[in-house]
Structures are given as structure tokens and as C-alpha cells.
Amino acid sequence: MKSVFALATITYKEGIRNRSLFGIALLALFLFGFNITVAGFFMRDVGKVTVDMNLSALSFAGLLLVFFVGVNLMAKDIDRKTIHLVLSKPISRAQYIWGKYLGIQFFISVSLLLLFVFSCLTVGLLLNLYPNYFIGFSWTNFFIACFFVLVKFSVLAAIVVFFSSITSSSLITLIFSISSYVVGITIEEVVFYLRSEFSAQEKIISESLQTFIDIVSYMIPNFAVFDFTLEAAHGLVITSQRIFLSFGYGAIYISILLMLASLIFSRREFN
Amino acid sequence: MSEIQILNVSKTYNPGLFKKKIRAVNDLSFEIRRGEVFGLIGPNGAGKSTTIRMLLGLIRPDSGSILFRGKPLGTATIQREIGYLPENPYLYDHLTLLELLSFCGQTSGMVPEQIKVRGFELMVKLKLLEAQKRPLRTFSKGMLQRAGICFALLHDPSIVVLDEPMSGLDPIGRKMVFDLILELKEQGKTIFFCSHILNDVERLCDRIALTNKGELIKQFEGGDFLQDIDKTVFLHTSSLDEFQQQSVQSLGGSVRLEGEGHLLAISADNYHPVNSYLEKSNIKILGCRSEWMSLENLFIQTVKEQDQ
């Protein structure tokens, strides 16, 4: 366990000192500032737009954090053969995977926490400026939505670790991870469409394609599960069951991915 | 007693579809004894790094086995006993040397106080104390190499595996590492050493294995190359016939082929009789040498022979 935390610590430090982080943070701050500037144009919808823009800014920043910094934290180890040095120490391959994941996870959490503070300040400021247009707004819903942005990127970080464990290049890891993310955020809509009556009118969708999409929908993470933007923006009720299911889904998905990654990684050879 | 035994180990790399497989190591066998400095030399692509990686468990041999203190690698905890320095170590750019050493110590089961004391000792020895709080990305190539040595030696391993430890070092850095290896040798550590700088290998190693194309060509004892140069004269002469060679040998000299002629090694005590014989027999002296046989000559000659 000590080795896992030691590895997680250096991974976190390596990530948090990366200069790209400043760029990503500045971009997110710009989006928050932009939100304050343009909020007045929306009047009646200012509450909904504010929540939507803030959650989108957090999501966008998280995405950049995972793809531009997170990918390099593990894939570069393999790319540059730093892993030879690390594995020459008494660290098992499974410990390496969990250590790296925890480090990336901690890095994303700290970075998003910082942006979350700025996001709360933005929402708080606009809430004070336009209190009449924030009807139905709930801080609890906003916090839950922000928390699930973090859960979403925790799953994405596990995907990055998984692909890093099977490929030797950070570029391939990046391509696979982006593809998984794009499929993951759209898969729910595709499945809904195929099950809807509109799809019955489409002749080109064969049964085999439908089966294939069904299988893919179970394998690819459904990122829509972690999207609470609608509830947060419109002040809708979020049931504890949905929170529990979404969180459980994320936790199970991460555990399975990391176990698979550990299994593959322990059989892998490092030339 | 054997510390490490490499027994009939072979390894083939598969570079991918439609590409020819590469046989990196072929039926390689040698042993490294406790407390010795063992040098593995060979041209690029001879399988030296592959052998080290197999020893560290980074890759698995296709056939054969590697024993650590008599036990197969899978069951032995070699990582606790080993300190490894790869060729051109790539360290974490944004970490400081102190943080890197702290990581190394924690994973090796050291307590913080031990890490501090041992780290300080190594940083002083390798002249890195002033750079201890600087990010590793600001280090020069030689400094990174020395940082890698600190990383390898922090937990005071009983076996030290050094893959090209002098690579990228200036003459002062080389001397520093050279002295450090001698110090480790005095402490009774087992050192497994790969280098292209044959002069260092010759001076440091107790035994040397020469590999080419993944195969073991020859093994030498360190003494095969070292002579008491102060008391011996090496003369390069024109070619000697069988009788002349025997005569020189009977007078106490040693004879071996050297290019077109012969090389004679004559101790100071036997110099006059041998010299008189050479003059009397009209044997031409072409020059003198500073050594009997250099590892470099032997290396080039052996590799050329094998390539033919």
C-alpha cells in the first residue's frame, strides 16, 4: 500500500506542476468571466444559462485535464521507458496501475476543486445580481451536478489507464480515449433512438447492427448517466436512488477497468 | 557462490505483422558470482540490454531460466536486492531529486530518516547536493545520469546492475562513477556492468563476457588483460619462425601474433638475454607497445571473426 501511495504522490506532483494546467485553468476562468459578462443578455433564463455554462466549463476543463495531462502521466512512462526504473523497485504491476490511477484521480480532483470554487463564486455573484431569475435554483443540485462531473472524469481517467496498459504510445492512448469518450456521451441517445418508433421506419438498420450497438452500449461507459445539468439548471428533483445508481455504476466501471488493466499489465513485456 | 545464473536463455522479438522476427538473445548462459564485478560487452544489438531486462523481469525469456541465489526469478524477490541504472535514464521532469529519492526509499521499504541520511550521503558523493531541490528537467545529461545512480543505490542494494553508467558523463563525472564502482566493489557488492567504454570494463571487471548477435562468444578473467606494466616490456617484432619463438620463450619471454609480426612480453629481469638473442638473430624490432593485449583489440578481432 505504501508503494501505491508513493507512486500516486509522484504522479500527482508530476501532473499538478505541468504547465498545461495553467492554460486549462485560464481557459476555464475565461469561460466563467464570459458567463458573468453575457449573463445579462438572457434575463429570464439567466439562472439556467449560468448553471449550464458553469457545468460546461467544468466539463470542458476536466476533459482537457484528462486528455492533455492525464494521458501523459502514465503513457509517457511507457513511451520514455521511465517504467523500467520504476518497476526495478519492489512494485508489482498491479500496484503500478492503482498507484498511477490514484495519482491521476487526485490530480483531477484537486484541479477541478479549484475550478469548482471559482464556479461557485460566479454562480453566487450572478445569483446576487439577478435573484429574481434564479427561481428553482438549488445549491444542492448544483453541487451534485459538479460532483458527477468529477465522477465522469474519474471514469475517463480509468479508461486512459486501461488504454495505456495495452498500448506503447501516448498518441494511441489519446486517440482510443477520445473515441471512447465520444461514443460514451452519445451511446445513450443512439440506443434510445433505435428503440423508438422512429427507427422502425428506417430500413437500413439491420437486426445485426442493432445487436452490435446493444453489445457496445454495455461495454462503453454511458457518460450520460453522470450528466445532471438538466436537473441542476431547472431545479428538478434528484432522487437518492439515481445518485446511488450513477455513483455505483461509475465505481464498478472504474474497478473493472483497473482490474482488467492490472491483469493485462502484469502479462505485458517492456522492451 | 552464484548470485545470478543465466541458463540457456533465448529471446526473440516480434516487431509486428509482416516483419521478420529478431533473435535478440540466443542460448545465452553465464553466471555472476557474489561480490564480483561482471562486465557484459558486445556491439550494439548484441542482446546486452535484453539480458538485463530479462533479469529485472521486464521481459520474459522464450526459453531457459534465470536463477537468483538458486531460485527462479518468479519466486525470488530480486527487486529488493537490486539497484538498476538504465542507459539514458528518463526521470520525471517536474519532480526534484529529493522527491525522486523519497519515492525510491518509500517503495524500497525505508523509513524517512534512513532516506534522508542515505540520500544526503549519495548526493554529496555524486556532487548533486546543490541541485537537490531543482526540477529534474533542468538537469544536464550527466547530472541525470548521476541522479539515476543515486536512485539505483539509495536502498543499499547487494546487486547493482549498471547499463552504460558512463554514458553522457564528462571526464570528471566518469572518474566519480569509476571511484564509486570501486567503492561498491570494496563493500562486497555484486556488480553487473554493461559498457562500450572498454577501458573502464577492463579496469573494473573481475570477469568479462563478450556477446555478439545474442550469443556468448568468450569469457575472460580480468587478469587476462592486466599486466604489471612497470616491470614488463612489450616489443613488436618482425615475424618469428617456430624455432625463434621457442628460443624467446626459453629465455623467459612470451610471444603472440600481432598483425604481420609478433608481440613479445619480456620481464625486466629477462630483458638483456632476450635482447641479445634478438640482435644476434637479426630480428627486427618494429616498435614497442604499452600492453600485451587490449580488450578493444580482442573485441574488434572477435566480432570481425564472427561476422565473417
Side-chain angles (χ1 to χ4, degrees), chain B residues 75-274:
Chain B
T75 59
T77 51
I78 193 165
Q79 269 87 353
R80 286 201 180 279
E81 301 287 340
I82 224 162
Y84 169 57
L85 172 76
E87 187 180 358
N88 305 321
Y90 287 105
L91 305 169
Y92 292 105
D93 287 345
H94 299 283
L95 294 187
T96 64
L97 179 59
L98 268 185
E99 286 164 343
L100 187 79
L101 294 183
S102 164
F103 164 69
C104 170
Q106 283 177 54
T107 52
S108 305
M110 294 168 79
V111 294
E113 193 55 35
Q114 266 181 313
I115 299 172
K116 212 173 158 186
V117 172
R118 178 80 178 142
F120 182 80
E121 196 182 296
L122 282 169
M123 284 188 290
V124 168
K125 210 171 274 178
L126 289 158
K127 300 210 171 12
L128 286 170
L129 204 59
E130 281 174 18
Q132 59 176 318
K133 286 181 183 166
R134 261 169 56 188
L136 291 164
R137 68 169 191 278
T138 63
F139 278 32
S140 67
K141 200 180 171 206
M143 284 169 85
L144 277 177
Q145 191 78 2
R146 282 182 277 147
I149 294 172
C150 284
F151 187 81
L153 300 179
L154 186 84
H155 61 298
D156 198 19
S158 59
I159 304 167
V160 184
V161 179
L162 305 167
D163 195 355
E164 299 289 350
M166 314 290 192
S167 148
L169 295 178
D170 58 21
I172 298 164
R174 252 180 76 183
K175 169 86 170 64
M176 209 186 287
V177 175
F178 190 90
D179 292 343
L180 187 75
I181 296 173
L182 282 180
E183 197 185 313
L184 290 171
K185 188 178 172 179
E186 274 167 25
Q187 288 169 10
K189 310 273 185 208
T190 307
I191 301 166
F192 181 23
F193 179 40
C194 280
S195 181
H196 282 127
I197 303 169
L198 299 177
N199 187 30
D200 292 337
V201 176
E202 213 172 319
R203 285 159 68 199
L204 281 168
C205 295
D206 298 316
R207 286 193 308 129
I208 301 160
L210 171 59
T211 56
N212 190 23
K213 295 176 182 170
E215 287 174 11
L216 180 72
I217 309 298
K218 265 179 194 170
Q219 279 199 65
F220 312 99
E221 297 290 325
D224 292 350
F225 305 101
L226 300 173
Q227 295 88 36
D228 198 351
I229 290 168
D230 292 343
K231 293 177 189 165
T232 310
V233 178
F234 303 102
L235 293 179
H236 187 201
T237 66
S238 56
S239 184
L240 308 182
D241 60 31
E242 195 75 18
F243 175 74
Q244 287 170 328
Q245 285 182 41
Q246 279 172 7
S247 305
V248 171
Q249 279 162 352
S250 66
L251 291 168
S254 303
V255 184
R256 77 166 184 84
L257 261 175
E258 167 92 353
E260 300 287 299
H262 280 92
L263 189 70
L264 313 186
I266 313 153
S267 69
D269 297 340
N270 298 326
Y271 178 74
H272 281 294
V274 176

